[in-house]
Amino acid sequence: MTEPQVYGRRSERFRQAAATETDVSTIITPSSQDDPAMSDALPSFRTPAEQAAYAAVLADLADRDREDEAVMIFREPTDPDAAVTADAMTRAGSVSDDQYARLLAAADRLYAPPPVTRAVAFDAFGTLVYIGRKRHPFERLIRQARDRAQALPSPMVQPIGLADYAAALGLPHPDAELAMLDEELATIALYPDTLDALRRVRERGVRIAIASNLALPYAAPLKALLGDLVDIWHFSFDAGAIKPDRAFYAGLTTRLECEASELLMVGDTWRDDIVGAVEAGSRARWVDREGRACHVRRFIAVRELGDAYPDRQRAGQMTELELVRSGIDANLDHLHAQWWAVRAGLLRQILTDAQDAEKVAATRALDDHFDTRDQTETSRARLMRNAIATIAARKHA
């Protein structure tokens, strides 16, 4: 006999009681009407065509199964994979089956415990450091011998200095380019928030990697500036692969001795640092120091490195759904105990009222419920589903 057959009409009482969990989730955090940061403002669009494509995607999602979840994840893609997917969907103005599946997978992650971060990898230039005076000496050599350069490995994937690279290209000794390189290296400097951000990660016992596309001469200044705070240096010239190639990220997680899902990549280049990491199975935060993020990218963008890890934004920057989840996680033990006790009481009453033929199944249902006492993720999933339904209904109203 199945559980619904045992419960009969009595199961309706539990469904009604369980429905109050929606109310529990909404009082954990303030409503969107109380906080402008949680308003449902449309993203900024660079062109009317982009706005039209965004509307077309929303219309497509509204006609699919699990539309509330899909639409919400598309509109507020705080999951990195969702942000990458939503960005690609908008640029195409259409939704593929694979992209839709990725949106639903992002929705499913809302119901699961937060991911474990065992390592954070930072891009270098544009993220942690900058060059005060850019001269591009390697590019200057390549322009002088473009055909020969195309036949040789890039200096980004081999440990070769500027003078040796010039010789490989058949060029004379690059005195002018070496002077340019020295000028660049001398003006490499830290962003003001770099050291504090790295120290905060280290204090949490999380490993730190520098994962960057660069040529050999630029490594030494980085190590001089950051050496004491870095566990792994992963440069393209050593790895033999350039971001966003999966081989680059596979080598990175191997050296960090972590799973791809346990890595958070932080960088300023959307394709290399965000799309590359996500396609490799990791999470990512996009560093947007100028605050120019448009459209869905803004949901995983941070202006300060300190906001990148833990990989959640400050309360004032979080969406309503993020705030609800944060509140659920902060009160999860209490919420689970409350839900578990209500259900246990109902199951006991069902057992008391059960006919002899139903007592075995009712007893089994109660025993099975006792086995779930420590499975806190069960209550998170239920609360999150109710929260999504509540917020989606409000947005559609």
Side-chain angles (χ1 to χ4, degrees), residues 41-91:
L42 285 173
S44 57
F45 298 103
R46 291 173 295 185
T47 65
E50 187 176 69
Q51 184 169 358
Y54 181 86
V57 171
L58 279 175
D60 187 326
L61 295 176
D63 291 334
R64 297 186 179 229
D65 294 336
R66 296 177 65 183
E67 64 178 82
D68 285 347
E69 294 167 285
V71 168
M72 178 164 293
I73 293 299
F74 173 74
R75 292 173 67 99
E76 300 178 357
T78 56
D79 179 279
D81 187 27
V84 169
T85 303
D87 186 67
M89 288 163 59
T90 299
R91 295 179 187 284

Side-chain angles (χ1 to χ4, degrees), residues 215-239:
L216 174 65
Y218 297 87
L222 276 180
K223 292 181 177 181
L225 290 169
L226 303 170
D228 293 340
L229 295 171
V230 177
D231 297 299
I232 297 293
W233 302 93
H234 191 67
F235 300 132
S236 61
F237 70 80
D238 275 333

Side-chain angles (χ1 to χ4, degrees), residues 185-389:
L185 300 183
T187 60
I188 294 175
L190 297 168
Y191 284 106
D193 56 354
T194 293
L195 296 181
D196 182 62
L198 295 180
R199 290 183 183 122
R200 286 179 56 190
V201 175
R202 171 150 293 212
E203 287 169 0
R204 291 175 176 264
V206 175
R207 302 194 78 192
I208 295 175
I210 303 301
S212 186
N213 291 339
L214 51 77
L216 174 65
Y218 297 87
L222 276 180
K223 292 181 177 181
L225 290 169
L226 303 170
D228 293 340
L229 295 171
V230 177
D231 297 299
I232 297 293
W233 302 93
H234 191 67
F235 300 132
S236 61
F237 70 80
D238 275 333
I242 299 176
K243 292 182 291 184
D245 289 354
R246 289 198 179 194
F248 180 95
Y249 285 99
L252 176 60
T253 52
T254 297
R255 296 187 64 198
L256 286 167
E257 299 180 334
C258 70
E259 298 295 328
S261 60
E262 298 172 333
L263 172 68
L264 172 68
M265 180 70 205
V266 179
D268 69 309
T269 305
W270 181 261
R271 178 174 174 269
D272 293 348
D273 301 318
I274 309 306
V275 177
V278 164
E279 295 296 338
S282 298
R283 287 167 289 120
R285 277 291 195 190
W286 189 35
V287 178
D288 175 35
R289 292 184 179 278
E290 303 300 322
R292 296 176 180 173
C294 67
H295 194 51
V296 298
R297 296 184 183 186
R298 75 194 192 283
F299 284 97
I300 61 166
V302 294
R303 296 192 65 174
E304 299 178 9
L305 281 176
D307 292 336
Y309 181 81
D311 53 332
R312 291 188 177 189
Q313 295 165 294
R314 297 173 179 171
Q317 301 170 310
M318 294 166 71
T319 67
E320 183 175 7
L321 190 58
E322 284 183 299
L323 286 168
V324 169
R325 172 165 175 157
S326 178
I328 288 173
D329 286 342
N331 298 277
L332 189 55
D333 290 343
H334 169 73
L335 293 171
H336 177 68
Q338 185 181 60
W339 167 82
W340 190 92
V342 169
R343 184 176 172 90
L346 289 170
L347 289 173
R348 288 192 187 97
Q349 187 61 51
I350 289 170
L351 177 59
T352 299
D353 297 343
Q355 301 297 321
D356 290 343
E358 298 175 336
K359 285 189 179 295
V360 172
T363 300
R364 185 183 304 114
L366 183 58
D367 289 343
D368 289 344
H369 179 62
F370 269 86
D371 290 340
T372 69
R373 192 166 196 164
D374 297 323
Q375 295 178 9
T376 55
E377 68 276 4
T378 302
S379 60
R380 177 190 286 108
R382 183 173 290 100
L383 287 162
M384 285 304 302
R385 287 191 180 96
N386 288 337
I388 286 176

Side-chain angles (χ1 to χ4, degrees), residues 66-242:
R66 296 177 65 183
E67 64 178 82
D68 285 347
E69 294 167 285
V71 168
M72 178 164 293
I73 293 299
F74 173 74
R75 292 173 67 99
E76 300 178 357
T78 56
D79 179 279
D81 187 27
V84 169
T85 303
D87 186 67
M89 288 163 59
T90 299
R91 295 179 187 284
S94 60
V95 182
S96 70
D97 290 341
D98 175 67
Q99 289 170 334
Y100 184 66
R102 289 175 65 167
L103 281 188
L104 294 188
D108 290 339
R109 283 191 286 273
L110 289 171
Y111 310 140
V116 174
T117 301
R118 301 196 186 281
V120 180
F122 292 91
D123 173 56
F125 291 92
T127 302
L128 300 178
V129 301
Y130 62 93
I131 298 176
R133 184 163 173 76
K134 296 181 180 180
R135 302 300 303 274
H136 308 291
F138 278 94
E139 292 180 18
R140 181 182 170 97
L141 292 181
I142 291 172
R143 287 197 299 269
Q144 295 175 47
R146 192 173 300 278
D147 291 342
R148 179 64 176 157
Q150 291 177 349
L152 293 175
S154 164
M156 301 280 277
V157 296
Q158 59 173 324
I160 189 170
L162 187 69
D164 289 338
Y165 186 61
L169 292 175
L171 297 173
H173 193 268
D175 293 317
E177 287 78 14
L178 285 170
M180 293 177 181
L181 176 62
D182 288 341
E183 186 174 1
E184 282 197 337
L185 300 183
T187 60
I188 294 175
L190 297 168
Y191 284 106
D193 56 354
T194 293
L195 296 181
D196 182 62
L198 295 180
R199 290 183 183 122
R200 286 179 56 190
V201 175
R202 171 150 293 212
E203 287 169 0
R204 291 175 176 264
V206 175
R207 302 194 78 192
I208 295 175
I210 303 301
S212 186
N213 291 339
L214 51 77
L216 174 65
Y218 297 87
L222 276 180
K223 292 181 177 181
L225 290 169
L226 303 170
D228 293 340
L229 295 171
V230 177
D231 297 299
I232 297 293
W233 302 93
H234 191 67
F235 300 132
S236 61
F237 70 80
D238 275 333
I242 299 176

